[in-house]
């Protein structure tokens, strides 16, 4: 783990040097992609160390990338960064970096921004993954406030996925939405299809 962390630090230093070589006024898209990469590296470092500073550094880098992608109207790139911000703000909440409710709300808003792009048919799997993430965040919010309302939102999202995708035709899609609902909990299951295990997306899982 230490070896991986040191490798990440070296990559961060390289990205920082790239930003000096390609500032925003010289090469805005290069600057934005480097900031996004830098955000990914800070995020990975933070997951190893559970370090609040690196989570904040990741958010700052994603924010810089987003400003450029927005000004350049790069809709797919915007969606990708917004998805990462959704994951990141959920991490903020999980690690008590600031207000849990506010960070879960920011997470939902970021995922919804990504979803506004992923609603197109060509992004079907990304749309399902994003909807699942939003549902899982609502599940966490429900544990803190407005239980019935927020569990209802989560169930509705997973239900939309189940209604749209047939299990036999789309096992990878369908697995994102398998739910087991009882009066006190909403749980996303793991589905096994043809011997292959499809794990659901979780708040702390891979993006």
């Amino acid at each position: 783990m230490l070896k991986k962390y040191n490798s990440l630090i070296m990559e961060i230093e390289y990205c920082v040097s790239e930003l000096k070589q390609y500032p925003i006024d010289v090469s805005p898209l290069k600057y934005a992609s480097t900031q996004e990469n830098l955000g990914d590296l800070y995020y990975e470092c933070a997951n190893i160390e559970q370090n609040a500073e690196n989570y904040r550094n990741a958010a700052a880098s994603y924010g810089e990338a987003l400003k450029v992608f927005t000004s350049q109207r790069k809709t797919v790139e915007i969606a990708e960064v917004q998805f990462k911000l959704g994951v990141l703000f959920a991490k903020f909440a999980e690690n008590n970096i600031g207000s849990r409710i506010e960070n879960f709300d920011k997470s939902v808003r970021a995922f919804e921004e990504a979803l506004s792009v992923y609603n197109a048919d060509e992004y079907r799997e990304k749309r399902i993954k994003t909807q699942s993430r939003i549902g899982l965040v609502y599940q966490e919010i429900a544990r803190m406030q407005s239980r019935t309302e927020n569990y209802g939102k989560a169930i509705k999202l997973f239900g939309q996925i189940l209604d749209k995708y047939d299990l036999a035709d789309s096992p990878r899609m369908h697995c994102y939405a398998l739910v087991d609902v009882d009066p006190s909990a909403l749980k996303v299951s793991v589905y096994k299809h043809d011997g292959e295990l499809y794990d659901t997306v979780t708040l702390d899982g891979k993006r």
Side-chain angles (χ1 to χ4, degrees), residues 68-127:
V68 175
F69 290 144
T70 301
S71 69
Q72 299 284 328
R73 299 182 180 178
K74 297 291 184 180
T75 55
V76 175
E77 288 83 352
I78 290 169
E80 289 171 354
V81 175
Q82 289 285 14
F83 183 89
K84 291 174 181 180
L85 282 169
V87 174
L88 183 59
F89 285 129
K91 277 290 188 183
F92 273 40
E94 290 173 10
N95 289 281
N96 297 307
I97 304 170
S99 164
R100 283 173 58 81
I101 286 294
E102 287 181 10
N103 281 315
F104 279 135
D105 285 344
K106 288 179 181 178
S107 177
V108 169
R109 288 199 299 270
F111 285 135
E112 287 178 342
E113 287 291 332
L115 198 59
S116 68
V117 175
Y118 293 151
N119 274 329
D121 287 341
E122 64 261 39
Y123 305 119
R124 186 175 69 164
E125 185 163 356
K126 289 183 177 181
R127 179 170 67 251

Side-chain angles (χ1 to χ4, degrees), residues 124-180:
R124 186 175 69 164
E125 185 163 356
K126 289 183 177 181
R127 179 170 67 251
I128 298 304
K129 189 174 181 180
T130 305
Q131 286 178 311
S132 298
R133 288 283 192 166
I134 297 171
L136 288 167
V137 175
Y138 277 132
Q139 172 185 333
E140 295 300 316
I141 295 173
R143 291 171 178 159
M144 295 182 287
Q145 66 178 30
S146 305
R147 183 183 186 84
T148 302
E149 176 187 353
N150 286 304
Y151 273 133
K153 289 178 180 179
I155 292 166
K156 182 178 179 180
L157 280 163
F158 288 116
Q160 288 172 353
I161 302 170
L162 287 167
D163 287 343
K164 191 162 186 177
Y165 296 101
D166 180 71
L167 179 58
D169 294 338
S170 305
R172 187 180 296 276
M173 302 296 184
H174 204 88
C175 75
Y176 285 127
L178 288 175
V179 292
D180 176 17

Side-chain angles (χ1 to χ4, degrees), residues 29-99:
L29 290 179
K30 175 67 175 176
Y31 172 88
S33 63
T34 303
Q35 286 284 14
E36 183 180 359
N37 290 338
L38 192 55
D40 294 345
L41 294 167
Y42 279 129
Y43 179 86
E44 288 189 61
C45 283
N47 283 342
I48 292 172
E49 281 199 330
Q50 295 299 303
N51 183 298
E53 181 181 358
N54 280 326
Y55 282 130
R56 291 190 181 101
N57 288 339
S61 290
Y62 289 146
E64 285 295 307
L66 195 58
K67 283 193 290 188
V68 175
F69 290 144
T70 301
S71 69
Q72 299 284 328
R73 299 182 180 178
K74 297 291 184 180
T75 55
V76 175
E77 288 83 352
I78 290 169
E80 289 171 354
V81 175
Q82 289 285 14
F83 183 89
K84 291 174 181 180
L85 282 169
V87 174
L88 183 59
F89 285 129
K91 277 290 188 183
F92 273 40
E94 290 173 10
N95 289 281
N96 297 307
I97 304 170
S99 164

